């Protein structure tokens, strides 16, 4: 049987500090009722502390997953950190994480594809495993979104939060693991979801800082429309081409951007609420953290042989679906 890449352990880390809707009501012109009904979010976490970047949370998640799998970090051959908020623009965050956790035999790199980063990371890690050359890949999804959010902008500050999740991927010869993927991009989307300055097109200057051009900007309604259509389309397509009906699917693992987008995707797939992983009410949108943090929260309910469909949509635009069979029972 061909080698497939299976998830063999899940870890996570969420910072202590909770920013509730009630507190946001005192910061911007919003209400708990608006945020809850439009997004499903009740609170989100924020990483506090001087000079702590995304790697702080990623390292905690990585240590958690390695301990759960009982792995010596020296056995890890590749570390991928999916993030949109690297510690620094140039030095690889994955390299720092690998060194800090003792993965001294690994090579490592960051993967940037906004909210679809972890989904693309799953495909990337699985391809390294399926090649037969790698047997232990550490895949992390981590973001300190609070570092790029304007807390005077009610259209974005109510949505995002900080967090990190991590999985180990290993070869499987019984057919469990990643089975199929549909991944897409459309560069026209960068008009609707972006950070304008700080890149090569518009380097940082006094002016860009003064104008708030280093914060996330999104045209919410446009992004919403694209997200609903594309997440639902590719999830339906992946079901069709693998001859899956709703009853065959144990869990939908959706990106946590908006509860309404999640429900629309589940409805199109014909899947009931009880089979949809949702933790947006507690963490908000943690960007690259959402998918692994769903696995982290629901791990105890996952059984060997469960069919999972992952779906995400994000900046770029970038989106897709992945069909994966779970490889282990809860311990
Ligand atoms: O993860 C990456 C991909 N991102 C997404 O998938 C996000 C997609 N977009 C969304 O989830 C939704 O568009 C939002 C949650 C961002 C916004 O919800 P919406 O239902 O699309 O609201 P809207 O932008 O159409 O705004 C409706 C009204 C506006 O007021 P007027 O013009 O009707 O008077 C906004 O100014 O709500 C206002 N508004 C708010 N009111 C209270 C916008 N933000 C807020 C707020 N509190 N925080």
């Amino acid at each position: 049987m061909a080698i497939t890449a299976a998830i063999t352990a899940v870890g996570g880390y969420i910072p202590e500090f909770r920013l509730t809707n009630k507190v946001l009501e005192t910061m911007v012109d919003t209400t708990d009722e608006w945020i809850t009904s439009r997004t499903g979010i009740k609170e989100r976490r924020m990483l506090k502390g001087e000079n702590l970047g995304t790697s702080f949370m990623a390292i905690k998640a990585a240590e958690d997953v390695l301990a759960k799998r009982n792995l010596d970090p020296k056995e890890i051959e590749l570390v991928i950190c999916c993030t949109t908020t690297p510690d620094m623009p140039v030095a690889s965050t994955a390299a720092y994480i690998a060194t800090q956790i003792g993965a001294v035999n690994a090579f490592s790199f960051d993967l940037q594809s906004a909210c679809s980063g972890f989904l693309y990371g799953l495909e990337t890690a699985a391809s390294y495993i399926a090649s037969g050359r790698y047997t232990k890949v550490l895949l992390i999804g981590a973001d300190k979104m609070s570092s790029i959010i304007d807390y005077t902008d009610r259209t974005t500050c109510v949505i995002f939060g900080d967090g990190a999740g991590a999985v180990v991927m290993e070869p499987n010869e019984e057919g469990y693991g990643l089975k199929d993927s549909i991944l897409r991009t459309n560069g026209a989307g960068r008009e609707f979801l972006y950070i304008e300055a700080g890149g090569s097109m518009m380097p940082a200057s006094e002016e860009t800082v003064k104008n708030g051009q280093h914060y996330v900007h999104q045209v919410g309604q446009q992004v919403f429309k694209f997200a609903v259509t594309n997440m639902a389309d590719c999830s339906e397509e992946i079901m069709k081409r693998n001859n899956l009906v709703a009853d065959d699917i144990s869990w939908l693992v959706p990106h946590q951007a908006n509860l309404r987008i999640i429900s629309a995707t589940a409805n199109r797939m014909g899947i009931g609420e009880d089979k949809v992983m949702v933790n947006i009410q507690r963490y908000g949108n943690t960007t690259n953290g959402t998918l692994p943090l769903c696995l982290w929260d629901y791990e105890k309910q996952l059984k060997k042989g469960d069919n999972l469909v992952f779906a995400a949509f994000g900046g770029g635009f970038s989106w897709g679906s992945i069909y994966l069979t779970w490889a282990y029972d809860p311990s």
Side-chain angles (χ1 to χ4, degrees):
M1 193 176 247
I3 301 171
T4 47
I7 293 175
T8 56
V10 183
Y13 176 78
I14 280 296
E16 291 288 309
F17 184 86
R18 291 161 199 259
L19 179 60
T20 61
N21 290 353
K22 281 282 163 215
V23 172
L24 277 167
E25 283 181 354
T26 67
M27 294 163 63
V28 288
D29 181 15
T30 193
T31 58
D32 175 38
E33 200 281 325
W34 191 96
I35 303 170
T36 308
S37 61
R38 301 281 178 134
T39 70
I41 303 167
K42 294 303 277 185
E43 62 180 36
R44 65 292 292 140
R45 301 296 181 101
M46 280 172 89
L47 179 64
K48 297 281 189 182
E50 209 142 303
N51 295 327
L52 296 184
T54 293
S55 66
F56 179 84
M57 298 181 290
I59 289 166
K60 300 258 188 213
E63 287 171 345
D64 183 32
V65 77
L66 293 184
K68 278 167 81 179
R69 182 76 185 99
N70 199 15
L71 265 184
D72 180 343
K74 291 192 186 72
E75 289 179 61
I76 300 288
E77 299 149 319
L78 168 60
V79 177
I80 305 174
C81 180
C82 307
T83 187
T84 252
T85 52
D87 283 6
M88 297 176 184
V90 174
S92 152
T93 301
Y96 183 72
I97 296 164
T99 300
Q100 291 300 307
I101 62 171
V104 291
N105 296 313
F107 80 107
S108 51
F109 59 84
D110 294 350
L111 190 158
Q112 206 299 65
S113 196
C115 292
S116 304
F118 191 82
L119 193 80
Y120 287 12
L122 279 173
E123 172 83 342
T124 308
S127 303
Y128 276 96
I129 303 268
S131 76
R133 289 187 57 193
Y134 298 86
T135 60
K136 292 200 172 40
V137 178
L138 173 60
L139 176 67
I140 304 165
D143 270 303
K144 183 184 172 186
M145 293 305 291
S146 60
S147 66
I148 53 171
I149 294 299
D150 176 359
Y151 285 91
T152 65
D153 174 6
R154 69 175 183 173
T155 68
T156 51
C157 75
V158 302
I159 297 168
F160 293 97
D162 301 340
V167 299
V168 172
M169 291 190 82
E170 298 180 62
N172 187 289
E173 293 188 22
E174 297 172 296
Y176 298 107
L178 196 144
K179 295 264 182 71
D180 196 12
S181 60
I182 299 173
L183 303 176
R184 298 281 184 268
T185 45
N186 180 350
R190 76 176 186 177
E191 217 181 296
F192 305 113
L193 179 50
Y194 55 85
I195 292 180
E196 202 169 13
S200 54
M201 264 171 61
M202 192 187 288
S205 68
E206 222 174 286
E207 194 69 11
T208 60
V209 173
K210 207 171 70 203
N211 294 340
Q213 288 165 295
H214 295 272
Y215 293 124
V216 171
H217 181 79
Q218 96 169 330
V219 185
Q221 275 186 4
Q222 289 294 335
V223 181
F224 186 90
K225 278 188 220 152
F226 276 96
V228 165
T229 310
N230 288 308
M231 260 172 72
D233 280 355
C234 61
S235 302
E236 198 179 35
E237 194 184 332
I238 211 161
M239 284 174 70
K240 266 198 197 132
R241 76 181 195 190
N242 289 283
N243 298 317
L244 296 169
V245 295
D247 280 349
D248 299 322
I249 293 170
S250 316
W251 293 99
L252 168 64
V253 192
H255 174 51
Q256 310 283 304
N258 187 315
L259 194 54
R260 290 181 291 148
I261 299 175
I262 295 172
S263 301
T265 305
N267 284 342
R268 179 87 81 79
M269 296 167 75
I271 287 179
E273 263 176 38
D274 55 326
K275 296 206 288 189
V276 184
M277 294 192 188
V278 176
N279 56 18
I280 192 171
Q281 67 281 8
R282 285 181 287 133
Y283 308 148
N285 181 351
T286 56
T287 303
N288 283 277
T290 60
L291 299 182
L293 283 171
C294 278
L295 296 179
W296 190 53
D297 277 349
Y298 283 81
E299 189 187 13
K300 287 199 168 61
Q301 297 179 57
L302 292 170
K303 293 183 299 297
K304 191 170 180 175
D306 277 357
N307 287 325
L308 275 55
V309 172
F310 294 79
F313 185 89
F317 292 135
S318 55
W319 69 94
S321 289
I322 281 181
Y323 162 38
L324 176 146
T325 306
W326 200 247
Y328 60 94
D329 285 318
S331 53

